[in-house]
Amino acid sequence: MSSQAELPDEMDFPLEGVRVLDLSRVLAGPLCGQVLADFGAAVIKVEHPARGDDTRDWGMRVGKTETTYFNSVNRSKRSITLDLQTPEAVQIIYDMLPQFDVVISNFKHGGADKMGLGYDKLKSIKPDLIYCTVAGYSSHTPEVKRPGYDLVIQAEAGLMAVNGDQDMPPLKFGVAVVDMMTGMYAAQAVLAALFRRERTGRGRRIEMALYDCGLTINGYCGLDALQLGHEPKRYGNNHPSIVPYGLFEAADGPLIIAVGNNSQFEKFCRQVIARPDIVEDPRYATNVERSRNRASLLPILSEAVASFERDVLLQRLAACGIPSGRAAGLHEALVSERTQQTGMVQTVAHAEAGSTTVFAPPYRLDGQRLPVRCAPPVLGEGTREVLQQLLAMSDEQLQQLQQRGVLTVPEVSSTSV
């Protein structure tokens, strides 16, 4: 685990000076906001005063109001609490809005308009606003009112049908891949809109649908299915057209072996597993033949690989220039020397827990990794500071709003916006 994260003395954040109002919750919308925060935007996350974001109750507890799930998509943000069902809270949004560049929302269809927080209303207040909505299904389809859930979309978009082995039922991905990719796609769209606004002065409405992004993730597998005209086979950890290319079990653990061409296969047989007879068999001499005869070849290779210890194989594979690697457990991977060298896992100060572990942004600019600017926020930690800074609210005004249930003002505080 890397040591306490420190901000570099001089870091040129590309989005410094951009303000983002994050009205979204759960995963896709908050991940979009986190990407913008990573690049230096001041992201203000608006949450319900009592329960906050739903994900504050998902995963393992960190402090009193955070969880591992929440922390995975909310680093480097501030949190303020507003009950958007109250007119006072909506008016606060109106009053703050001219100081923001981007709004992210994922309300149910019609919900934002009902509360007075839809695009047309907010655009009338901030004409050059960039407004990004995330929904389950496109507003241009009859299913627009359906709620969007990652697991449902994985099933409906065909992603579960390409995951796992041929004799298995449909299998979901280990993480909420549709939510995560939708958040990334949304951030890309916001960045493009910000770039365009710099040139034209005009804002933009962005609509992201989980189902659309789920289809996109299918990539070349989806195009294969369309070209075939029927359901493609599933190959699990193996490659549909390259053999051997997948997961194998050595005598003491799993490893990946990715033989990419015929030259590598000859080295694999002769120098790695000491079975020159295999490459000399015309059934396996070329990749086309190996792919055609995979049913007879893979058991032979699996038996040969299983007779060696994993480290011996990895050393031989590396010496031959054949791509390979250990199939690590998740915890094993995260605490490995390789991960430590990346600086991707960092410990940051936390107002309640003392410290907490988060992932660093994956981006490097001019050779320097973007830092974690602050830990994921305690619920409402920035309510007082943000509203006093942006709207010059007095402590008395905040107290009155708190008494009416519009917001909460905890004592925890951190940095300015």
Side-chain angles (χ1 to χ4, degrees):
M1 204 72 64
S2 68
S3 59
Q4 183 78 20
E6 295 182 0
L7 294 182
D9 293 334
E10 294 185 8
M11 168 58 77
D12 180 14
F13 289 99
L15 296 185
E16 186 173 0
V18 173
R19 282 202 179 114
V20 179
L21 194 61
D22 186 356
L23 305 180
S24 67
R25 58 189 179 86
V26 187
L27 190 55
L31 179 57
C32 172
Q34 179 174 269
V35 171
L36 302 176
D38 286 341
F39 284 115
V43 180
I44 309 302
K45 182 177 180 67
V46 178
E47 304 184 68
H48 188 275
R51 58 181 180 271
D53 191 309
D54 294 5
T55 59
R56 287 188 182 274
D57 196 38
W58 297 7
M60 298 179 64
R61 178 63 60 194
V62 177
K64 296 178 182 178
T65 64
E66 290 108 282
T67 62
T68 50
Y69 203 114
F70 175 87
N71 284 1
S72 72
V73 291
N74 288 291
R75 63 175 173 251
S76 299
K77 299 181 185 179
R78 305 296 305 274
S79 169
I80 68 172
T81 58
L82 289 172
D83 183 353
L84 297 178
Q85 299 295 332
T86 65
E88 295 99 325
V90 173
Q91 186 60 51
I92 289 173
I93 297 293
Y94 293 164
D95 293 342
M96 290 194 300
L97 191 64
Q99 301 182 65
F100 283 85
D101 303 282
V102 180
V103 168
I104 306 169
S105 74
N106 62 349
F107 299 108
K108 293 179 181 179
H109 179 68
D113 289 326
K114 185 177 181 180
M115 288 185 288
L117 297 173
Y119 173 67
D120 290 336
K121 175 60 180 178
L122 297 192
K123 182 183 178 183
S124 69
I125 300 171
K126 173 76 172 175
D128 63 348
L129 179 67
I130 295 168
Y131 187 95
C132 180
T133 62
V134 178
Y137 304 86
S138 171
S139 62
H140 301 278
T141 70
E143 297 186 299
V144 60
K145 294 183 179 181
R146 290 185 64 196
Y149 287 86
D150 179 274
L151 180 59
V152 176
I153 304 296
Q154 284 197 39
E156 293 180 337
L159 287 167
M160 293 174 66
V162 300
N163 203 24
D165 292 311
Q166 188 64 29
D167 59 351
M168 296 174 60
L171 180 67
K172 80 175 185 70
F173 285 70
V175 296
V177 62
V178 175
D179 276 337
M180 295 177 71
M181 291 302 295
T182 302
M184 296 298 293
Y185 288 137
Q188 292 174 19
V190 170
L191 291 172
L194 283 168
F195 180 76
R196 176 179 179 271
R197 195 181 71 171
E198 283 296 303
R199 295 188 299 175
T200 67
R202 296 195 298 272
R204 174 146 282 180
R205 181 180 184 179
I206 299 166
E207 296 180 70
M208 304 297 304
L210 295 176
Y211 184 74
D212 296 357
C213 294
L215 293 176
T216 303
I217 297 169
N218 280 303
Y220 57 86
C221 290
L223 297 184
D224 283 349
L226 292 171
Q227 186 76 8
L228 287 168
H230 57 74
E231 296 297 324
K233 291 183 179 180
R234 289 187 290 164
Y235 293 93
N237 290 316
N238 293 308
H239 196 283
S241 57
I242 305 175
V243 180
Y245 196 105
L247 181 73
F248 292 85
E249 286 286 342
D252 57 345
L255 75 161
I256 293 293
I257 300 174
V259 175
N261 55 52
N262 295 330
S263 175
Q264 288 183 356
F265 184 68
E266 182 167 359
K267 292 178 182 178
F268 175 68
C269 293
R270 296 184 186 278
Q271 301 177 40
V272 178
I273 61 175
R275 288 289 304 273
D277 58 300
I278 299 176
V279 72
E280 292 168 359
D281 189 323
R283 294 177 299 169
Y284 314 132
T286 68
N287 183 68
V288 171
E289 293 301 321
R290 290 193 296 275
S291 183
R292 181 180 294 123
N293 295 294
R294 71 170 64 226
S296 61
L297 175 59
L298 288 177
I300 297 173
L301 296 181
S302 295
E303 182 179 3
V305 169
S307 66
F308 293 89
E309 292 186 353
R310 181 165 54 179
D311 286 345
V312 171
L313 288 169
L314 290 171
Q315 290 172 6
R316 293 183 180 182
L317 288 161
C320 293
I322 298 173
S324 60
R326 293 169 60 93
L330 178 56
H331 182 265
E332 179 186 6
L334 293 176
V335 299
S336 70
E337 182 179 357
R338 177 180 291 113
T339 298
Q340 290 181 5
Q341 292 170 347
T342 68
M344 277 295 299
V345 178
Q346 297 187 4
T347 301
V348 295
H350 187 276
E352 294 176 345
S355 65
T356 188
T357 303
V358 296
F359 287 112
Y363 322 100
R364 284 188 183 273
L365 302 182
D366 297 326
Q368 192 171 28
R369 184 177 302 287
L370 290 175
V372 178
R373 294 187 289 142
C374 60
V378 172
L379 178 60
E381 53 77 31
T383 303
R384 173 180 281 109
E385 290 83 358
V386 170
L387 296 184
Q388 287 184 340
Q389 181 179 349
L390 299 185
L391 300 181
M393 280 194 178
S394 66
D395 286 337
E396 182 179 359
Q397 288 175 303
L398 291 169
Q399 186 64 33
Q400 291 174 352
L401 289 169
Q402 180 168 252
Q403 291 173 352
R404 294 200 294 272
V406 176
L407 50 76
T408 54
V409 188
E411 295 303 317
V412 178
S413 64
S414 56
T415 58
S416 67
V417 296

